[in-house]
Amino acid sequence: MRIILSILLTFLSTLVFASEVNLRDYDEFDIPTGTHIPVISLQEFSTAYCEEGDKVSFLTTSDIFMYDKNVIPEGTKITGYIDKKNEPVIGTHAAMRVFLNKMYLKDGHEVPIKGYIYSANDNIIGGGLTQPEKYIKIPHYQRWVMFRAMSVTRCVPGPTRKMGEHVTISSGANLIVVLTSPIHMTHTVIY
């Protein structure tokens, strides 16, 4: 009886340890803050006709790997909305900020994320200075030659600026998503 019981326990323990090896690839992991994800825009959106809260969608253009594991496959859909919008005014172009909150993997699994469309201006798209309305001509004296001043006419921006223009992101535009908090992944898509 002891021999049969020991053989049975040995057989069960080998099954348990063998199944543990197969489950190691399904551990939970985090994609760190600051990860850049290249995407393309699936629709056109602009400050001219979109409002705060309008939904926008993007599609990843390449696989994102962590070590040897493909954590975000190509073709993953990322959605979000226009978080902040500023209209154009005299001297400044229009601006908007796009917040991203969901990622849909190819197998239909939905993952919550926090990120923005990357821009060097604190993730705000647009918002630059407009061109001057006019330029003023001013003589610029470079040096004295033979007791008289040599001058050149220099154009300097005037005190007023032009009216700002709306910002438009076209459909199919290549953009970058930057994560502001880690993504907690529970599984990966296996092909």
Side-chain angles (χ1 to χ4, degrees):
M1 184 71 172
R2 283 184 171 181
I3 296 173
I4 294 174
L5 187 60
S6 65
I7 292 173
L8 186 60
L9 287 175
T10 306
F11 179 70
L12 287 176
S13 64
T14 57
L15 286 178
V16 169
F17 291 126
S19 64
E20 188 175 325
V21 173
N22 292 335
L23 293 177
R24 284 188 184 163
D25 197 29
Y26 295 97
D27 287 340
E28 297 177 0
F29 58 93
D30 289 335
I31 300 173
T33 301
T35 302
H36 289 124
I37 305 169
V39 295
I40 60 169
S41 176
L42 293 179
Q43 73 219 35
E44 181 177 279
F45 55 97
S46 172
T47 56
Y49 51 82
C50 292
E51 297 298 324
E52 288 182 2
D54 286 357
K55 294 185 179 187
V56 290
S57 300
F58 304 93
L59 205 63
T60 59
T61 58
S62 64
D63 295 329
I64 305 296
F65 286 88
M66 279 184 64
Y67 307 109
D68 62 343
K69 189 184 296 184
N70 185 1
V71 293
I72 301 175
E74 181 181 350
T76 300
K77 186 176 180 181
I78 297 176
T79 61
Y81 58 91
I82 297 175
D83 181 35
K84 182 179 181 182
K85 174 187 156 188
N86 294 334
E87 292 290 333
V89 293
I90 294 175
T92 307
H93 293 296
M96 66 179 151
R97 185 171 60 198
V98 179
F99 179 73
L100 303 167
N101 58 358
K102 290 182 184 171
M103 178 172 68
Y104 300 95
L105 298 174
K106 284 186 170 184
D107 63 353
H109 188 72
E110 179 181 324
V111 180
I113 66 170
K114 287 184 183 176
Y116 290 99
I117 295 297
Y118 176 75
S119 170
N121 186 19
D122 195 26
N123 299 329
I124 295 174
I125 302 166
L129 239 72
T130 60
Q131 294 292 323
E133 196 168 39
K134 64 179 180 175
Y135 287 91
I136 301 169
K137 293 182 180 180
I138 296 177
H140 177 69
Y141 297 101
Q142 294 181 335
R143 62 180 179 188
W144 287 85
V145 176
M146 300 296 260
F147 302 106
R148 58 177 211 210
M150 300 288 292
S151 67
V152 201
T153 304
R154 189 173 94 184
C155 294
V156 186
T160 57
R161 296 204 168 260
K162 293 182 180 178
M163 180 67 183
E165 297 176 357
H166 287 283
V167 175
T168 302
I169 303 296
S170 63
S171 177
N174 289 319
L175 302 167
I176 294 177
V177 173
V178 62
L179 299 178
T180 56
S181 69
I183 299 176
H184 186 70
M185 298 287 286
T186 56
H187 80 287
T188 57
V189 179
I190 299 173
Y191 297 104

